[in-house]
Amino acid sequence: MPNSKLFFFLFLILLSHVSIGVAQNRTTNIGVIIHESFRAGKEQKIAIEIAIQKLNSGSKNHKLAIYFKNSSGDPLEVASSANELINKQNVRVIIGTDSWEETSILAKIGQQSRVPVISWTAASLQPLSRLQWPFLVQMTNLDMLDEIKCITSIVQSYNWKKVVVIYEDNVYGGEYRALSLLSEALQTVNSGIEHRLVVPHFTSLFDPKETIRDGLLNVLTTKQSRVFIVLRSSLPTITRVFEEANKLGLIGRDSVWILGDTFSSFLDSIDPSVFQLVQGALGVKTYYSDNSTRFMDFRSNFKTVFRSNYPEEDKFEPGIYAIRAYDSVEMISRALDDLGSLNDTNSDFSEKLLDTILSSNFSGLTNMIAFQDGKLSSGPRVFRLVNIVGKSYKELGFLSPESGFSKEIGLEGKDSLRQLPVNWPGDLVTRIPKGWAMPNDNKKMKIGVPTDTSFDRFVKVEWIESSNETIYTGFCIDVFKLVVVTLEEKYGYTLTYEFVNHTTSYNDMVDQVYHKNYDAVVGDVTILANRSKYVEFTQPFTESGLSMVVPVKSEPQRAWKFMRPFTVEMWLATFGILFYTIPGLSESEDRFGRARPQSPTRAKFWDPRSNPKMSDLKKPDGLKGLIGPFSTQSTCLFRGSKKIEKSTLPLKSCIPDIYWIQSNHSKVVVMIWLFVVFILTSSYTAGLTSMLTVRALEPSVRDIAWLRKNNEPVGCDPDSFVGDYLTNVLDLKNIKNVSKQDQYPEYFKNGSIVAAFLELPYEKYFLEEYCNEYTAVAPSYKFGGLGFVFAKDSPITDDVSGAILSLLEDGKIRDLENIWLKTSQKCSGSNPEVDSQQLSVANFWGIFLISGLASTLSFLIFLYRLLHNRIEQRIISFNNGSHWDNESRWRRAVRLIRIVVSMNPNRVHPPESSNSMAVWDHRNPPRWELVSPTEIPEHLEIGRPTQLEIPMRKMEHISEDLH
């Protein structure tokens, strides 16, 4: 009995110690759902086992018990495994899932069972997921939008216009708008999704290979894009896609493959044979730091354990999934430590455990573990950009959804992706792949060419019957051929194409590109805003605009052109000031400066003491030697009526002399007049020189307003946009269609049109061809130029534009313009806007006519005065001998006729009498006559004036002459 009491006492003591030990070392069950047949599942399992071993050995308060379940990649099996873990294993936390579809199922089960669920999958709509599944904890700081932004930045950097998206047929691809997010992001960078290739899940009952093959074959035969973006899909599914794509040749030259994080994160662990299927692809891989001491210790331990458990694997390095699994277990362990003695049987244990987990703040293997809105918030949101080469990959740099690409972590994205040394699919390293189906001999580019052009120098299509082929020539055709050569030289690829004749309008030809009937259009197509809405134009290779061309107006009355430098008002003002100045100057000299010669010779001549012959000769009244600058002849005018003998004439005094002007007022007037004459003469000379040597081409029509007002007919190309522009913009109604360039001169001549509206390249050629016959009238209306047409977002447009710019800079297009558009020989060496000409009689016969008429009139006046003087002398003589006044008019007329008929010039001047120099008679002053300087006596020849007025002696013996 005492022994039994002692035994019972010892049992109670032992039981108390066991209860205390259990209380101090409580165990929390954790459920893990992974796909153990996948490399990710294997890594996750090894990492969790390493974490449990380390944490359990280091903790005295609690232990962690792990229950693994294999999902096999089936969402239904995931749901079944989760219910079993919660109901049978009584797990307090569930870790796992590699897809958002599995995560969403687990989140719903966790919410219903009030069990926290820790997921390693990024979400596309984090705020929405947090509201729907409050017990979900995302062990990542990245979501789907971050990955899409990085992929979009790659597409933008290489300017790929169209992409093909490949994704797995699951909930993620549809309900949670991954495709919509990608489509919106691509639109912001002027790109788009050409095709969506949906492949079945690897667990599908249908044969996935056949479905994948049919989808890729459709892309090969009907789609142009060769940029493939692999969105979130399982590793087995993507591997099958690569296999079929290789068989069809879709992973080759000028193809691009961009792999999302779901595949790139396995690059450290997948079989090397998979790398051979997708050589040259770019991958977006989640970044984590691998240089800390903790990580290096973990990696060393992981490699040892993994090699021991999975010796069949080729690689033993841990990936992002192993790191997340390890940090997840450590986070749960720390949360349980923070809960202290709280028993997991309490009703609020799950909520408090969830709150403690979300409040975590410790340093994990790579970064700080802290949460915001149910998602990991610490650490940079960065992806690695990798390039698959050989049996592995090489790191190119870092991609951030905010700052873009950089070669080093932590730097702003200032580097360019285009400068990276990428090994593209098909071993393409010399250039960036086009990312579209390059034309080949089996599938050539179909290029439309206009056949009915107004100016065949630009495009000309000829059918050669003998060789049964079509020849395409012209300026635009040669430019395109140069572009093709440049693409091969500078961009490393050749365009294989064929021309197709197009017979309808230019607008219809552009529409054919929009409707995919033509791949491009080569010709003289003007870049217009309305056309740019539907197609894409290259860089213009020549300028464009609309200008009005009219015939040159013939210049009337060219002989009187010497009058044109001055207007009528200018001529009237010039003559008016001339006739106003001369009389005033003469009157001033008559009153203030008359008969005061300053020349010593002249004074000596009039001095009777020095010239005895002048002692009886009185100085003529009103000596008016009209003054140098205004006297174009050396003639002196004197007042008086009597004649002075030649021997006594003061010759020196008749020479023009500026010093004859005595009045100061007159001198001021003369100086101002000389300045006016200088200005007028210079201006007239310059104007006349310009008019006679450079003849401007004057248009027959000045402006469009005149055409519009008078509704005059104008011509234009019927197949271009010009007709609509004239009608809708310039408001011209009377428009005639002119289909060929040779018809314009004919229509101008017969009056069918008075003006033609031509685009600027045509205008230049037309004026070259018909120089000096037509001219362009401003203003001109500018347009976008002539360019080649491609489909909207065509990947080749940018390369063709770059080639055109190179040709423009090298001057090769200008050389083609000289060959095709400047071939007229009759205009060589002349300017189409001006015409220089030599002067001829035709330019001056008007002024010659005026001079001749003036000389003729002067001669007639001279004859009239001569006859009048002689007749008058005879009549006077007759009156002295008879009664002239008493005779009848009839006898007077008979006598007058007899006098005129019987006049003998030899008898006009009778012999001189000895007393010829009689005293000057004031009552009968002598008349003055013009005498040649050769008749002046030598003793009077002081100078040699050109004309001299000498008084005539009375004619004697007139009666004898009349008889």
Side-chain angles (χ1 to χ4, degrees), residues 538-730:
T538 63
Q539 176 76 20
F541 52 86
T542 185
E543 61 180 335
S544 179
L546 188 64
S547 182
M548 182 172 67
V549 176
V550 298
V552 175
K553 181 173 62 176
S554 60
E555 188 178 17
Q557 299 179 350
R558 292 175 59 189
W560 302 98
K561 200 167 187 176
F562 69 91
M563 300 289 292
R564 292 184 62 184
F566 289 166
T567 62
V568 175
E569 293 80 1
M570 185 65 182
W571 283 114
L572 293 177
T574 302
F575 285 113
I577 195 67
L578 174 66
F579 290 121
Y580 176 80
T581 303
I582 292 178
L585 186 63
S586 300
E587 183 65 22
S588 176
E589 284 300 297
D590 279 344
R591 293 188 176 186
F592 303 105
R594 182 172 53 187
R596 291 183 294 177
Q598 299 297 318
S599 172
T601 305
R602 191 177 301 114
K604 181 179 180 180
F605 174 82
W606 288 107
D607 189 356
R609 293 173 297 177
S610 60
N611 192 347
K613 295 185 177 181
M614 298 300 296
S615 59
D616 298 329
L617 183 62
K618 295 181 67 178
K619 183 187 298 184
D621 183 25
L623 182 63
K624 294 179 64 178
L626 192 67
I627 349 170
F630 305 103
S631 177
T632 58
Q633 298 180 359
S634 298
T635 303
C636 297
L637 302 178
F638 297 92
R639 291 181 180 177
S641 58
K642 293 185 179 181
K643 296 180 180 180
I644 301 177
E645 292 186 1
K646 298 179 183 179
S647 60
T648 63
L649 185 67
L651 299 179
K652 191 68 176 180
S653 64
C654 293
I655 300 175
D657 193 343
I658 187 65
Y659 296 104
W660 286 24
I661 300 175
Q662 300 299 318
S663 171
N664 292 330
H665 301 83
S666 300
K667 291 179 181 179
V668 173
V669 172
V670 168
M671 295 304 297
I672 295 176
W673 172 243
L674 286 177
F675 179 75
V676 173
V677 169
F678 174 75
I679 296 298
L680 293 178
T681 304
S682 301
S683 302
Y684 177 85
T685 303
L688 184 61
T689 302
S690 175
M691 289 183 177
L692 292 179
T693 56
V694 180
R695 181 173 62 89
L697 301 181
E698 298 181 0
S700 57
V701 177
R702 288 291 181 182
D703 51 35
I704 296 177
W706 182 84
L707 294 174
R708 189 185 300 115
K709 178 181 179 180
N710 297 279
N711 196 27
E712 296 291 341
V714 298
C716 69
D717 185 356
D719 294 328
S720 68
F721 71 97
V722 178
D724 293 337
Y725 187 85
L726 296 180
T727 302
N728 301 327
V729 179
L730 300 184

Side-chain angles (χ1 to χ4, degrees), residues 170-185:
N170 53 29
V171 176
Y172 180 82
E175 181 181 351
Y176 297 101
R177 302 194 307 116
L179 265 297
S180 300
L181 292 174
L182 180 60
S183 178
E184 293 173 3

